[in-house]
Protein backbone atom coordinates (compact mmCIF):
# COMPACT_ATOMS: atom_id res chain seq x y z
CA UNK A 1 0.00 0.00 0.00
CA UNK A 2 1.17 3.54 -0.76
CA UNK A 3 2.16 5.11 2.57
CA UNK A 4 2.49 8.69 1.35
CA UNK A 5 0.10 11.60 1.26
CA UNK A 6 0.78 14.77 -0.69
CA UNK A 7 0.22 17.22 2.13
CA UNK A 8 1.19 20.16 -0.09
CA UNK A 9 -2.12 19.70 -1.90
CA UNK A 10 -4.02 21.04 1.11
CA UNK A 11 -2.14 24.33 1.11
CA UNK A 12 -3.47 25.11 -2.36
CA UNK A 13 -6.96 23.67 -1.88
CA UNK A 14 -7.86 25.36 1.42
CA UNK A 15 -9.27 28.80 0.64
CA UNK A 16 -10.02 31.63 3.00
CA UNK A 17 -13.65 32.16 4.07
CA UNK A 18 -15.61 34.70 1.97
CA UNK A 19 -14.43 38.14 3.05
CA UNK A 20 -17.11 39.87 0.95
CA UNK A 21 -19.81 38.05 2.87
CA UNK A 22 -18.16 39.01 6.15
CA UNK A 23 -18.09 42.69 5.17
CA UNK A 24 -21.68 42.52 3.97
CA UNK A 25 -22.74 41.11 7.33
CA UNK A 26 -20.97 43.95 9.16
CA UNK A 27 -22.54 46.56 6.87
CA UNK A 28 -26.02 45.11 7.29
CA UNK A 29 -25.75 45.38 11.05
CA UNK A 30 -24.70 49.02 10.85
CA UNK A 31 -27.37 49.81 8.23
CA UNK A 32 -30.03 48.46 10.56
CA UNK A 33 -29.32 51.31 12.97
CA UNK A 34 -27.99 49.06 15.74
CA UNK A 35 -25.19 50.31 17.99
CA UNK A 36 -21.81 49.04 16.87
CA UNK A 37 -20.75 46.33 19.26
CA UNK A 38 -24.20 46.21 20.79
CA UNK A 39 -24.36 42.43 20.59
CA UNK A 40 -20.71 42.00 21.53
CA UNK A 41 -19.24 38.65 20.59
CA UNK A 42 -22.41 37.65 18.74
CA UNK A 43 -21.66 40.21 16.04
CA UNK A 44 -18.21 38.77 15.39
CA UNK A 45 -19.61 35.24 15.39
CA UNK A 46 -22.40 36.22 13.01
CA UNK A 47 -19.90 37.75 10.61
CA UNK A 48 -17.74 34.63 10.83
CA UNK A 49 -20.75 32.45 10.06
CA UNK A 50 -21.51 34.62 7.04
CA UNK A 51 -17.95 34.25 5.80
CA UNK A 52 -17.78 30.46 6.17
CA UNK A 53 -21.25 30.11 4.62
CA UNK A 54 -20.32 32.54 1.82
CA UNK A 55 -23.61 34.42 2.16
CA UNK A 56 -25.34 37.33 3.89
CA UNK A 57 -27.76 37.41 5.60
CA UNK A 58 -26.32 34.59 7.61
CA UNK A 59 -28.19 31.30 7.61
CA UNK A 60 -29.00 30.15 11.16
CA UNK A 61 -27.22 26.98 12.29
CA UNK A 62 -29.71 24.18 11.71
CA UNK A 63 -27.75 20.92 11.37
CA UNK A 64 -24.97 20.85 14.00
CA UNK A 65 -23.14 17.59 14.68
CA UNK A 66 -21.05 16.54 17.67
CA UNK A 67 -18.24 14.44 16.22
CA UNK A 68 -16.17 12.33 18.61
CA UNK A 69 -13.04 10.45 17.54
CA UNK A 70 -12.29 7.58 19.96
CA UNK A 71 -9.01 5.74 20.57
CA UNK A 72 -6.85 4.21 23.28
CA UNK A 73 -3.22 5.15 23.92
CA UNK A 74 -0.37 2.94 25.05
CA UNK A 75 0.97 5.49 27.53
CA UNK A 76 -2.18 5.00 29.62
CA UNK A 77 -0.47 1.87 30.98
CA UNK A 78 1.96 4.16 32.84
CA UNK A 79 -0.85 5.47 35.03
CA UNK A 80 -0.84 9.04 33.69
CA UNK A 81 -4.62 9.33 34.06
CA UNK A 82 -7.13 8.73 36.84
CA UNK A 83 -9.26 6.81 34.36
CA UNK A 84 -8.64 3.07 33.99
CA UNK A 85 -6.16 2.21 31.24
CA UNK A 86 -8.01 -0.98 30.39
CA UNK A 87 -11.61 -0.51 29.32
CA UNK A 88 -11.87 3.17 30.24
CA UNK A 89 -12.30 4.45 26.70
CA UNK A 90 -14.73 1.69 25.74
CA UNK A 91 -16.87 2.53 28.77
CA UNK A 92 -17.00 6.18 27.71
CA UNK A 93 -18.02 5.20 24.19
CA UNK A 94 -20.84 3.06 25.56
CA UNK A 95 -22.03 5.91 27.81
CA UNK A 96 -22.35 8.20 24.80
CA UNK A 97 -24.12 5.53 22.80
CA UNK A 98 -26.65 4.79 25.53
CA UNK A 99 -27.30 8.48 26.10
CA UNK A 100 -26.07 8.77 29.69
CA UNK A 101 -22.84 10.71 29.02
CA UNK A 102 -22.96 14.49 29.61
CA UNK A 103 -22.32 15.21 25.92
CA UNK A 104 -25.29 13.04 24.91
CA UNK A 105 -27.61 14.77 27.38
CA UNK A 106 -26.47 18.25 26.36
CA UNK A 107 -26.71 17.41 22.66
CA UNK A 108 -30.35 16.48 23.13
CA UNK A 109 -30.93 19.79 24.93
CA UNK A 110 -29.30 21.84 22.16
CA UNK A 111 -30.66 19.87 19.20
CA UNK A 112 -27.37 18.43 17.95
CA UNK A 113 -26.77 14.93 16.63
CA UNK A 114 -23.85 12.91 18.00
CA UNK A 115 -21.53 10.67 16.01
CA UNK A 116 -18.68 8.51 17.32
CA UNK A 117 -15.82 7.41 15.07
CA UNK A 118 -13.85 4.55 16.65
CA UNK A 119 -10.40 4.56 15.10
CA UNK A 120 -8.40 2.71 17.77
CA UNK A 121 -10.41 1.73 20.85
CA UNK A 122 -8.88 -1.27 22.60
CA UNK A 123 -12.07 -3.33 22.48
CA UNK A 124 -13.69 -5.94 20.32
CA UNK A 125 -15.25 -4.09 17.36
CA UNK A 126 -18.30 -6.31 17.79
CA UNK A 127 -19.00 -4.42 21.03
CA UNK A 128 -20.10 -1.34 19.08
CA UNK A 129 -22.50 -0.67 16.18
CA UNK A 130 -21.09 -1.09 12.67
CA UNK A 131 -21.37 2.64 11.91
CA UNK A 132 -19.08 3.38 14.89
CA UNK A 133 -16.27 1.02 13.88
CA UNK A 134 -16.39 1.40 10.10
CA UNK A 135 -13.17 3.50 10.19
CA UNK A 136 -11.35 1.36 12.78
CA UNK A 137 -7.57 1.29 12.16
CA UNK A 138 -6.32 -0.88 15.04
CA UNK A 139 -6.79 -1.63 18.73
CA UNK A 140 -4.93 0.90 20.88
CA UNK A 141 -1.53 2.32 19.99
CA UNK A 142 2.13 2.03 20.86
CA UNK A 143 3.65 3.56 24.01
CA UNK A 144 4.98 6.78 22.56
CA UNK A 145 7.71 7.28 25.16
CA UNK A 146 9.51 4.16 23.89
CA UNK A 147 7.93 3.24 20.51
CA UNK A 148 5.89 4.64 17.65
CA UNK A 149 2.15 4.95 18.16
CA UNK A 150 1.42 3.72 14.62
CA UNK A 151 3.17 2.26 11.61
CA UNK A 152 3.52 4.56 8.59
CA UNK A 153 0.76 2.62 6.82
CA UNK A 154 -1.60 2.95 9.81
CA UNK A 155 -0.86 6.67 10.07
CA UNK A 156 -1.86 7.23 6.45
CA UNK A 157 -4.98 5.09 6.84
CA UNK A 158 -6.04 7.06 9.93
CA UNK A 159 -5.38 10.38 8.20
CA UNK A 160 -7.42 9.29 5.19
CA UNK A 161 -10.20 8.03 7.47
CA UNK A 162 -10.50 11.53 8.93
CA UNK A 163 -10.69 12.97 5.43
CA UNK A 164 -13.44 10.53 4.55
CA UNK A 165 -15.44 11.49 7.65
CA UNK A 166 -15.22 15.17 6.63
CA UNK A 167 -16.63 14.27 3.21
CA UNK A 168 -19.41 12.23 4.80
CA UNK A 169 -20.47 15.10 7.05
CA UNK A 170 -20.29 17.72 4.29
CA UNK A 171 -22.33 15.49 1.96
CA UNK A 172 -24.87 14.82 4.72
CA UNK A 173 -25.61 18.54 5.10
CA UNK A 174 -23.95 19.12 8.47
CA UNK A 175 -23.46 22.88 8.77
CA UNK A 176 -21.34 23.02 11.94
CA UNK A 177 -19.13 20.37 13.55
CA UNK A 178 -18.53 20.36 17.30
CA UNK A 179 -15.31 18.36 17.49
CA UNK A 180 -14.36 16.20 20.46
CA UNK A 181 -12.50 13.07 21.48
CA UNK A 182 -12.81 10.00 23.68
CA UNK A 183 -9.61 8.45 24.96
CA UNK A 184 -7.73 7.72 28.18
CA UNK A 185 -4.32 9.48 28.36
CA UNK A 186 -5.08 11.58 25.28
CA UNK A 187 -4.03 14.80 27.05
CA UNK A 188 -0.55 13.30 27.49
CA UNK A 189 -0.27 12.67 23.76
CA UNK A 190 -1.63 16.14 22.96
CA UNK A 191 0.93 17.75 25.27
CA UNK A 192 3.74 15.98 23.42
CA UNK A 193 2.59 17.27 20.03
CA UNK A 194 2.09 20.83 21.30
CA UNK A 195 5.41 20.81 23.17
CA UNK A 196 7.24 19.58 20.10
CA UNK A 197 5.61 22.08 17.71
CA UNK A 198 6.01 25.01 20.11
CA UNK A 199 9.54 24.12 21.18
CA UNK A 200 8.78 23.98 24.91
CA UNK A 201 9.88 21.58 27.60
CA UNK A 202 7.67 18.98 29.23
CA UNK A 203 6.82 20.91 32.39
CA UNK A 204 5.41 23.82 30.35
CA UNK A 205 2.78 21.65 28.65
CA UNK A 206 1.95 19.09 31.33
CA UNK A 207 -1.52 19.65 32.75
CA UNK A 208 -3.75 17.91 35.27
CA UNK A 209 -5.89 16.19 32.62
CA UNK A 210 -8.33 13.92 34.41
CA UNK A 211 -7.61 15.55 37.77
CA UNK A 212 -4.33 13.87 38.67
CA UNK A 213 -2.39 14.58 41.89
CA UNK A 214 1.21 15.79 42.15
CA UNK A 215 2.72 12.30 42.09
CA UNK A 216 0.92 11.30 38.92
CA UNK A 217 1.69 14.72 37.40
CA UNK A 218 5.41 13.96 37.79
CA UNK A 219 4.95 10.58 36.08
CA UNK A 220 3.03 12.29 33.29
CA UNK A 221 5.69 15.00 32.94
CA UNK A 222 8.47 12.40 32.67
CA UNK A 223 6.47 10.51 30.05
CA UNK A 224 6.00 13.68 28.01
CA UNK A 225 9.71 14.48 28.36
CA UNK A 226 10.73 11.09 27.00
CA UNK A 227 8.17 11.31 24.21
CA UNK A 228 9.39 14.76 23.20
CA UNK A 229 12.85 13.31 22.61
CA UNK A 230 11.26 10.94 20.10
CA UNK A 231 9.16 13.68 18.49
CA UNK A 232 11.85 16.25 17.76
CA UNK A 233 13.72 14.31 15.05
CA UNK A 234 10.55 14.08 12.91
CA UNK A 235 9.22 17.60 13.37
CA UNK A 236 9.62 18.38 9.68
CA UNK A 237 7.25 15.60 8.62
CA UNK A 238 3.75 15.98 10.04
CA UNK A 239 2.63 12.44 9.22
CA UNK A 240 5.77 10.98 10.74
CA UNK A 241 5.18 13.09 13.84
CA UNK A 242 1.60 11.82 14.17
CA UNK A 243 2.79 8.24 13.73
CA UNK A 244 5.70 8.51 16.16
CA UNK A 245 4.10 10.39 19.04
CA UNK A 246 0.42 10.78 18.16
CA UNK A 247 -2.14 8.05 17.58
CA UNK A 248 -4.89 7.00 15.22
CA UNK A 249 -7.32 9.56 16.64
CA UNK A 250 -4.80 12.39 16.30
CA UNK A 251 -4.00 11.45 12.69
CA UNK A 252 -7.71 11.11 11.88
CA UNK A 253 -8.65 14.42 13.49
CA UNK A 254 -5.86 16.19 11.62
CA UNK A 255 -7.05 14.72 8.32
CA UNK A 256 -10.62 15.63 9.22
CA UNK A 257 -9.77 19.27 10.01
CA UNK A 258 -7.92 19.75 6.74
CA UNK A 259 -10.56 18.12 4.54
CA UNK A 260 -13.33 19.99 6.40
CA UNK A 261 -11.56 23.23 5.48
CA UNK A 262 -11.34 22.07 1.86
CA UNK A 263 -15.10 21.33 1.92
CA UNK A 264 -15.81 24.69 3.65
CA UNK A 265 -17.30 22.98 6.70
CA UNK A 266 -16.83 25.09 9.88
CA UNK A 267 -15.59 23.41 13.04
CA UNK A 268 -15.66 24.30 16.74
CA UNK A 269 -12.66 22.87 18.60
CA UNK A 270 -13.06 21.39 22.07
CA UNK A 271 -10.12 20.61 24.35
CA UNK A 272 -6.38 20.14 24.17
CA UNK A 273 -6.65 17.15 21.80
CA UNK A 274 -8.43 19.02 19.01
CA UNK A 275 -6.17 22.02 19.67
CA UNK A 276 -3.06 19.87 19.20
CA UNK A 277 -4.40 18.41 15.97
CA UNK A 278 -5.30 21.90 14.76
CA UNK A 279 -1.70 22.96 15.38
CA UNK A 280 -0.43 20.08 13.24
CA UNK A 281 -2.98 20.91 10.54
CA UNK A 282 -1.90 24.56 10.52
CA UNK A 283 1.62 23.43 9.63
CA UNK A 284 0.14 21.77 6.55
CA UNK A 285 -2.34 24.48 5.43
CA UNK A 286 -1.85 27.89 7.02
CA UNK A 287 -5.31 29.17 6.02
CA UNK A 288 -7.16 26.27 7.65
CA UNK A 289 -7.56 27.87 11.13
CA UNK A 290 -9.87 30.50 9.63
CA UNK A 291 -12.50 27.74 9.35
CA UNK A 292 -12.32 26.94 13.06
CA UNK A 293 -13.39 28.51 16.34
CA UNK A 294 -12.14 27.56 19.80
CA UNK A 295 -15.09 26.49 21.90
CA UNK A 296 -13.63 26.93 25.36
CA UNK A 297 -10.53 27.15 27.52
CA UNK A 298 -9.98 24.00 29.54
CA UNK A 299 -7.12 25.33 31.63
CA UNK A 300 -4.65 22.86 30.08
CA UNK A 301 -1.34 24.68 29.48
CA UNK A 302 -0.80 22.88 26.17
CA UNK A 303 -4.18 24.06 24.91
CA UNK A 304 -3.34 27.67 25.76
CA UNK A 305 -0.03 27.43 23.90
CA UNK A 306 -1.70 25.87 20.86
CA UNK A 307 -4.40 28.55 20.70
CA UNK A 308 -1.77 31.26 21.02
CA UNK A 309 0.04 29.84 17.98
CA UNK A 310 -3.24 29.46 16.11
CA UNK A 311 -4.37 33.00 17.12
CA UNK A 312 -7.69 31.57 18.27
CA UNK A 313 -9.51 33.03 21.27
CA UNK A 314 -11.76 30.63 23.22
CA UNK A 315 -15.42 31.61 23.20
CA UNK A 316 -15.86 30.56 26.83
CA UNK A 317 -13.82 29.69 29.90
CA UNK A 318 -15.70 26.97 31.73
CA UNK A 319 -12.64 24.96 32.78
CA UNK A 320 -14.09 21.74 31.35
CA UNK A 321 -11.33 19.14 31.10
CA UNK A 322 -13.22 15.91 30.39
CA UNK A 323 -13.14 16.14 26.61
CA UNK A 324 -16.04 14.37 24.89
CA UNK A 325 -16.83 17.55 22.96
CA UNK A 326 -18.63 19.10 25.94
CA UNK A 327 -16.71 22.38 25.75
CA UNK A 328 -17.35 22.72 22.02
CA UNK A 329 -21.01 21.84 22.48
CA UNK A 330 -21.49 24.56 25.11
CA UNK A 331 -20.45 27.10 22.47
CA UNK A 332 -23.29 25.98 20.19
CA UNK A 333 -25.96 28.23 21.79
CA UNK A 334 -23.71 31.24 21.17
CA UNK A 335 -23.36 30.39 17.50
CA UNK A 336 -27.06 29.65 17.21
CA UNK A 337 -27.83 32.98 18.86
CA UNK A 338 -25.48 34.78 16.46
CA UNK A 339 -27.16 33.19 13.47
CA UNK A 340 -30.67 33.85 14.77
CA UNK A 341 -30.05 37.43 15.87
CA UNK A 342 -28.29 38.57 12.71
CA UNK A 343 -30.15 36.53 10.10
CA UNK A 344 -32.76 39.12 9.10
CA UNK A 345 -31.54 42.50 10.32
CA UNK A 346 -31.69 44.09 6.85
CA UNK A 347 -34.25 43.75 4.09
CA UNK A 348 -31.86 43.28 1.16
CA UNK A 349 -29.77 40.11 1.14
CA UNK A 350 -26.19 40.14 0.02
CA UNK A 351 -25.87 38.55 -3.40
CA UNK A 352 -22.30 37.44 -4.15
CA UNK A 353 -20.95 38.23 -7.61
CA UNK A 354 -21.46 35.56 -10.23
CA UNK A 355 -18.59 33.16 -9.67
CA UNK A 356 -16.26 32.07 -12.36
CA UNK A 357 -16.57 28.44 -13.23
CA UNK A 358 -14.87 26.55 -10.47
CA UNK A 359 -14.25 22.85 -10.09
CA UNK A 360 -16.27 20.89 -7.60
CA UNK A 361 -14.61 20.83 -4.20
CA UNK A 362 -12.53 17.65 -4.17
CA UNK A 363 -13.54 14.78 -1.95
CA UNK A 364 -11.06 12.58 -0.14
CA UNK A 365 -11.38 10.04 -2.94
CA UNK A 366 -10.52 12.72 -5.51
CA UNK A 367 -7.44 13.73 -3.58
CA UNK A 368 -6.28 10.16 -3.15
CA UNK A 369 -6.49 9.51 -6.89
CA UNK A 370 -3.94 12.27 -7.37
CA UNK A 371 -1.40 10.60 -5.11
Amino acid sequence: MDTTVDLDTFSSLVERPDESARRAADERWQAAGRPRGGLGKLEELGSWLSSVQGRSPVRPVSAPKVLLFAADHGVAALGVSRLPAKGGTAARVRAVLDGTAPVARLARRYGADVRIVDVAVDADPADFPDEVVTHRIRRGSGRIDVEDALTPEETVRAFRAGMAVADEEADAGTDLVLLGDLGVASTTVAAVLVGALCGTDAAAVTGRGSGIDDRVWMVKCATIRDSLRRARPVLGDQLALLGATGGADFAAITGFLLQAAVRKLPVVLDGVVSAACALVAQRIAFRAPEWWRAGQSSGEPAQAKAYDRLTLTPLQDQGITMGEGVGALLALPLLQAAGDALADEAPQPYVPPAPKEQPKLPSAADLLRRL
Side-chain angles (χ1 to χ4, degrees):
M1 177 182 174
D2 183 8
T3 57
T4 62
V5 173
D6 184 6
L7 299 181
D8 292 338
T9 303
F10 287 103
S11 185
S12 60
L13 289 175
V14 174
E15 301 176 359
R16 284 196 162 93
D18 190 333
E19 186 60 28
S20 297
R22 183 196 296 272
R23 286 196 302 269
D26 293 340
E27 291 167 2
R28 289 178 67 257
W29 177 251
Q30 295 178 44
R34 310 299 189 203
R36 188 176 184 84
L39 282 183
K41 191 69 175 177
L42 294 186
E43 291 181 34
E44 188 276 328
L45 288 176
S47 295
W48 177 70
L49 284 173
S50 276
S51 69
V52 296
Q53 293 174 1
R55 69 189 303 277
S56 179
V58 65
R59 181 176 59 247
V61 176
S62 60
K65 175 76 65 70
V66 178
L67 184 61
L68 306 175
F69 286 86
D72 274 299
H73 298 279
V75 289
L78 299 174
V80 294
S81 171
R82 290 182 61 191
L83 300 173
K86 189 67 175 176
T89 301
R92 296 176 76 187
V93 170
R94 283 190 287 270
V96 176
L97 291 173
D98 66 24
T100 60
V103 68
R105 297 177 186 273
L106 290 170
R108 288 196 297 271
R109 165 68 66 181
Y110 297 142
D113 292 332
V114 180
R115 178 184 179 185
I116 299 175
V117 180
D118 169 9
V119 286
V121 177
D122 189 11
D124 188 333
D127 292 347
F128 305 132
D130 290 344
E131 63 269 19
V132 172
V133 299
T134 186
H135 293 293
R136 170 78 76 95
I137 304 301
R138 58 178 283 171
R139 289 182 62 156
S141 65
R143 228 185 79 183
I144 60 172
D145 61 323
V146 295
E147 62 182 337
D148 288 349
L150 308 169
T151 67
E153 179 187 25
E154 289 167 342
T155 305
V156 171
R157 286 175 56 209
F159 187 91
R160 289 173 172 172
M163 292 172 61
V165 170
D167 284 332
E168 291 163 7
E169 293 304 323
D171 293 341
T174 299
D175 58 8
L176 181 70
V177 170
L178 309 159
L179 183 63
D181 63 278
L182 294 164
V184 177
S186 58
T187 63
T188 299
V189 178
V192 174
L193 291 175
V194 173
L197 292 170
C198 293
T200 60
D201 60 25
V205 290
T206 304
R208 297 287 174 170
S210 56
I212 57 177
D213 58 22
D214 290 345
R215 181 191 66 80
V216 178
W217 183 91
M218 287 188 287
V219 173
K220 183 176 181 178
C221 188
T223 302
I224 292 171
R225 177 202 63 205
D226 294 343
S227 302
L228 280 171
R229 290 172 181 158
R230 301 191 65 259
R232 289 181 180 121
V234 293
L235 270 178
D237 184 335
Q238 287 79 28
L239 282 177
L241 176 65
L242 290 166
T245 56
D249 49 347
F250 284 80
I253 293 172
T254 303
F256 169 82
L257 284 169
L258 288 165
Q259 185 64 7
V262 171
R263 296 298 302 271
K264 303 186 177 182
L265 177 61
V267 178
V268 178
L269 307 176
D270 181 39
V272 65
V273 171
S274 55
C277 295
L279 198 58
V280 178
Q282 182 200 40
R283 289 288 187 99
I284 299 169
F286 70 95
R287 288 184 289 264
E290 297 182 40
W291 294 93
W292 312 328
R293 281 295 178 265
Q296 61 111 25
S297 171
S298 66
E300 284 285 309
Q303 185 197 44
K305 288 186 178 298
Y307 283 163
D308 182 61
R309 285 294 180 94
L310 292 163
T311 64
L312 291 175
T313 302
L315 300 178
Q316 299 186 88
D317 184 2
Q318 303 293 349
I320 296 170
T321 60
M322 69 179 299
E324 294 188 9
V326 173
L329 182 54
L330 287 178
L332 176 58
L334 287 175
L335 287 153
Q336 290 172 325
D340 292 343
L342 303 180
D344 298 308
E345 284 294 342
Q348 297 299 321
Y350 161 74
V351 179
K356 300 176 183 176
E357 274 202 45
Q358 295 184 6
K360 178 184 175 183
L361 293 175
S363 67
D366 295 330
L367 290 175
L368 296 180
R369 278 195 289 269
R370 301 179 187 179
L371 302 181

